[in-house]
Amino acid sequence: MSTKQLISPKVLTGQFYSALEGDRQYLKKWLITWQYQEKRKKSAVVYEEGPKDFSSFSDISELIEWFKWFRPDYPDYLGSKLTEPLVDQSEKTDRKALTDLGLAFDFATYRKNIGINNAHDFLLPQLYPVPERYRIKRVLDFGAGFGRQANLWSEDAGNLYVGMDAVPKSYCLQHTYYSSLGRPFTDYISNPQSFKIDDHSKGIMHLPTWRYDLLPDNYFNLVSCVQVLPELNSKLQKRMLAEFHRTLKPGGMLYIRDHAQTWRPAGKIDVDEYVRSLGFVPEFTPHIIDNKDLHGIPRIYRKADPAVTESRKVTMKQRLNEMINDADYYSGGILKKLVKKKKK
């Protein structure tokens, strides 16, 4: 699909619900429910700024509502030397995207909210050296908001970024935003029959949550879950975490940033405990104060790589050598002297 052929909100919404209707065999209520927002809706809670209703999409200007749904200032845990170049790049991309969409937005607070969030979620998974086989080239962004992480993750033409969501407004806004970035873009709802993620996939791809079966096995280098898992029902949390394990390459990274156990408005499982039970290996959690050092606590897990596990096993030969060395030590070196004498 050409990024210049922006689909009207009416047609886009129609495509979303047409795909939903056509995929009834994949649907379960718990799979497409955003439980946190359902609770807010029943309690008649309305955001002063930000989206008012998540079940409909009628105008592309609703993208601006989501842009405003960030507080003015977020802490910069990593420091400006690391983050400013990426904030610059992010702002440049978003200014052009909104201009191309014909939307006006006051960028006065952008650098300290959307820009810094983009920088953090791009940098944190790449802060330290890794073997070449773990380099991040394929990204799955689950519960992608308006799609902001595509800004930096899809900038490299050789990379693949896949956005995934099931909420009507979120999905349609993601489509609108992805279409504005000037990068190759394919959306499942535009042509469900031909949609396929494979080794040739590049650019931006978009997929509804209920078609997680289309995510290939052992494929992604990174799955990103930012401020989303605690807002889902427990059944959906468990299902998708299992799918992330399936679809990540051995050694692939699961990146989670939310408020961990201090904020669980929907699902009540201990996400970190469940992640470990699936076979993920904890790799990094900074010792920081939530909302003072960084908005949310980032955690990085790896899908266990069999090659790494095997390399750390002690062989029979190593055990035997260790036993011989220990025996020689306790014998005062007599054992090895006897062995040398026998060889002569």
Side-chain angles (χ1 to χ4, degrees):
M1 176 194 304
S2 169
T3 55
K4 297 301 181 183
Q5 295 174 346
L6 187 64
I7 300 175
S8 73
K10 183 177 180 180
V11 172
L12 185 57
T13 302
Q15 288 184 349
F16 179 88
Y17 283 105
S18 176
L20 192 69
E21 179 66 25
D23 287 340
R24 282 192 172 276
Q25 70 268 36
Y26 301 102
L27 299 181
K28 296 176 178 64
K29 187 176 180 181
W30 57 265
L31 186 57
I32 58 175
T33 300
W34 190 359
Q35 190 168 333
Y36 172 53
Q37 293 302 338
E38 290 293 321
K39 286 184 176 181
R40 293 182 68 96
K41 188 175 181 180
K42 288 179 180 179
S43 302
V45 177
V46 179
Y47 298 107
E48 291 183 15
E49 287 191 295
K52 306 299 185 291
D53 171 29
F54 293 91
S55 62
S56 64
F57 174 63
S58 58
D59 193 274
I60 65 171
S61 63
E62 292 169 34
L63 181 59
I64 299 301
E65 292 179 357
W66 208 299
F67 264 63
K68 292 179 178 178
W69 195 23
F70 287 79
R71 71 190 199 201
D73 194 343
Y74 289 81
D76 185 4
Y77 161 64
L78 297 177
S80 60
K81 186 175 181 180
L82 284 174
T83 58
E84 275 196 7
L86 290 168
V87 173
D88 289 342
Q89 183 179 334
S90 178
E91 181 178 3
K92 181 181 178 181
T93 297
D94 277 346
R95 282 184 179 276
K96 184 178 186 307
L98 294 187
T99 298
D100 288 349
L101 289 171
L103 298 175
F105 176 66
D106 182 358
F107 276 81
T109 61
Y110 177 93
R111 298 183 65 81
K112 292 187 176 182
N113 53 36
I114 297 175
I116 200 64
N117 273 278
N118 284 353
H120 284 155
D121 294 327
F122 186 76
L123 279 169
L124 282 165
Q126 303 183 95
L127 271 180
Y128 44 86
V130 296
E132 183 60 35
R133 64 183 177 276
Y134 299 153
R135 297 288 180 194
I136 298 174
K137 295 293 184 182
R138 298 170 178 170
V139 177
L140 173 62
D141 183 7
F142 177 71
F146 71 79
R148 65 174 179 80
Q149 288 201 64
N151 182 314
L152 295 176
W153 282 118
S154 69
E155 203 267 340
D156 187 325
N159 289 355
L160 172 67
Y161 165 95
V162 178
M164 176 175 265
D165 215 305
V167 180
K169 183 188 287 293
S170 304
Y171 197 95
C172 292
L173 285 177
Q174 289 159 18
H175 178 104
T176 302
Y177 180 71
Y178 297 154
S179 296
S180 73
L181 293 177
R183 295 158 190 176
F185 174 45
T186 305
D187 200 321
Y188 172 85
I189 67 171
S190 298
N191 193 347
Q193 290 72 33
S194 67
F195 187 92
K196 185 179 182 181
I197 300 173
D198 58 24
D199 289 342
H200 304 291
S201 299
K202 304 291 181 187
I204 300 172
M205 301 187 78
H206 199 201
L207 184 67
T209 304
W210 64 83
R211 290 308 312 268
Y212 59 77
D213 60 296
L214 294 175
L215 300 173
D217 293 349
N218 303 312
Y219 183 82
F220 291 98
N221 308 112
L222 168 68
V223 173
S224 180
C225 300
V226 176
Q227 305 294 0
V228 61
L229 293 175
E231 301 185 2
L232 308 177
N233 64 75
S234 296
K235 196 167 186 177
L236 179 53
Q237 288 176 331
K238 290 180 178 180
R239 176 70 269 163
M240 293 314 301
L241 287 169
E243 291 303 316
F244 299 156
H245 189 269
R246 173 185 68 81
T247 198
L248 276 167
K249 286 185 171 184
M253 177 186 292
L254 173 61
Y255 167 72
I256 301 171
R257 179 169 67 85
D258 53 41
H259 305 292
Q261 300 308 307
T262 65
W263 190 72
R264 294 190 293 177
K268 300 306 179 184
I269 69 168
D270 184 326
V271 167
D272 294 277
E273 183 179 288
Y274 193 75
V275 163
R276 290 190 292 270
S277 76
L278 291 171
F280 282 101
V281 180
E283 182 167 85
F284 172 73
T285 301
H287 194 65
I288 60 174
I289 301 173
D290 189 7
N291 278 321
K292 180 178 180 180
D293 302 314
L294 181 69
H295 183 64
I297 304 297
R299 287 95 77 203
I300 289 175
Y301 294 89
R302 293 274 177 192
K303 177 179 175 178
D305 185 340
V308 172
T309 303
E310 187 64 29
S311 73
R312 296 179 182 181
K313 288 182 179 178
V314 179
T315 66
M316 186 60 70
K317 182 178 180 181
Q318 288 170 327
R319 288 185 187 279
L320 184 59
N321 285 336
E322 186 177 326
M323 290 172 64
I324 292 172
N325 287 332
D326 287 345
D328 185 60
Y329 168 76
Y330 288 115
S331 70
I334 295 174
L335 182 62
K336 285 192 175 180
K337 288 178 181 177
L338 290 173
V339 171
K340 285 182 180 179
K341 187 176 182 181
K342 188 176 181 180
K343 284 183 178 179
K344 290 179 180 179

